[in-house]
Amino acid sequence: MDLQAYFDRIDYRGGTEPTHETLTALVSAHVRRIPFENLDPVMGVPVIDLSSAALSAKLVARRRGGYCYEHNNLMRDVLCALGFGVERLAGRVVWMSPEGMDGPPRPQTHQALAVTIPGSDQRYLVDVGFGGQTPTAPIPLVPDAVQQTSHEPFRMREHGADYVVETMIGQRWRPLYVLAMQPRPLIDMQVGSWYVSTYPESNFVVGLSAALVTDEARWNLRGRNLAIHAGGSTERVRFGDAAQVCAALTERFGIDLTGLGDIEATVAAVLDT
């Protein structure tokens, strides 16, 4: 792990001691500089290699983004190198599901992190890869403790032996995912990443998504539709064609599209999914 290259990528100039201040600053910088995106699955490229070398090459050196397995394993490598205690956790996504918490169990296709600061028993949820609703700060792994972030408040709610991660949209708490507390090895994450990047009905295979956080807003792209959420209001932009979408990926989200083949033709095929 080339830490300096990572710090340059996220424009981080803060401390490197394994403290709560450092953890908070790194999460904040990461989500503002490295976008969430699923271009590889859309292009038919499985995301299987979650090694530090592969993630650094893609997200840092090539200035691409990625999805949860890539973002959170990269963050894990950084935090471990700095001396934090880090465990991988798996979650079942219920966000935007019509059935929400009431439907049948969904697959564990999301990765997050449990982070411990040296000298403390307090664990924090760190998740820099949840797309449009990515938490912008560490969240205490304590039931019902509300954590105000630079954007929305978040909390953890007990759900049997698991936790439900929730955020407040408007005046209502909404569930994002059910998080299992059992630490998972890398192989489990590789299996999950292979599944969501190759399964023919996966949202990551059939539809284009990108997301990025700014100081004032959340930028969420789905197909040809861009939503900019800021201060309780939403601006919506509908792009006319794939060329405009690709321009937005480059200019608004900062994604380097070189080396991806005929990206415009592929994007055109999934614009309305």
Side-chain angles (χ1 to χ4, degrees):
M1 168 58 65
D2 184 342
L3 287 175
Q4 190 56 56
Y6 172 78
F7 293 153
D8 291 342
R9 173 72 167 102
I10 65 172
D11 193 25
Y12 180 72
R13 300 294 181 266
T16 57
E17 294 297 315
T19 64
H20 184 269
E21 180 181 10
T22 297
L23 180 63
T24 301
L26 285 172
V27 169
S28 177
H30 183 112
V31 299
R32 285 165 171 76
R33 295 293 186 274
I34 306 183
F36 179 96
E37 50 104 331
N38 67 319
L39 288 170
D40 279 357
V42 168
M43 296 295 294
V45 179
V47 180
I48 301 173
D49 190 350
L50 301 178
S51 67
S52 179
L55 297 177
S56 295
K58 179 181 177 181
L59 277 69
V60 177
R62 290 165 51 200
R63 304 191 72 79
R64 285 280 308 281
Y67 57 26
C68 66
Y69 293 106
E70 299 169 285
H71 277 277
N72 285 318
N73 276 300
L74 177 64
M75 177 60 78
R76 176 192 177 276
D77 294 338
V78 170
L79 295 178
C80 286
L82 295 178
F84 291 92
V86 189
E87 296 172 332
R88 300 180 182 91
L89 301 179
R92 304 181 190 276
V93 177
V94 296
W95 172 245
M96 302 299 288
S97 169
E99 299 170 317
M101 296 291 296
D102 298 324
R106 301 176 65 84
Q108 286 187 326
T109 54
H110 181 62
Q111 178 184 338
L113 304 172
V115 179
T116 305
I117 297 168
S120 171
D121 294 330
Q122 174 63 61
R123 297 199 301 169
Y124 294 88
L125 170 69
V126 169
D127 185 356
V128 292
F130 197 69
Q133 285 302 130
T134 295
T136 55
I139 311 300
L141 276 168
V142 177
D144 302 318
V146 177
Q147 174 65 55
Q148 181 62 53
T149 73
S150 57
H151 292 72
E152 306 85 6
F154 287 78
R155 72 178 182 185
M156 314 289 292
R157 182 168 55 82
E158 288 183 313
H159 182 70
D162 302 328
Y163 282 105
V164 180
V165 181
E166 298 181 326
T167 187
M168 183 173 284
I169 305 296
Q171 299 299 315
R172 179 181 172 189
W173 286 104
R174 297 180 181 269
L176 301 179
Y177 52 90
V178 180
L179 187 66
M181 291 294 102
Q182 178 185 1
R184 299 301 179 89
L186 177 60
I187 185 61
D188 287 358
M189 304 301 107
Q190 291 171 323
V191 170
S193 186
W194 169 80
Y195 173 80
V196 299
S197 65
T198 61
Y199 182 58
E201 297 179 15
S202 168
N203 290 335
F204 294 119
V205 172
V206 302
L208 173 66
S209 298
L212 191 67
V213 174
T214 70
D215 289 343
E216 300 83 15
R218 291 185 181 275
W219 294 56
N220 298 336
L221 177 71
R222 180 68 179 175
R224 68 172 76 241
N225 299 300
L226 174 66
I228 304 171
H229 305 290
S233 63
T234 299
E235 174 188 355
R236 300 189 185 277
V237 179
R238 183 172 173 84
F239 297 113
D241 55 31
Q244 293 178 357
V245 173
C246 289
L249 291 171
T250 300
E251 298 165 8
R252 297 180 184 239
F253 292 90
I255 301 171
D256 186 346
L257 301 181
T258 59
L260 291 180
D262 194 351
I263 181 69
E264 192 170 314
T266 302
V267 168
V270 299
L271 276 189
D272 296 310
T273 58

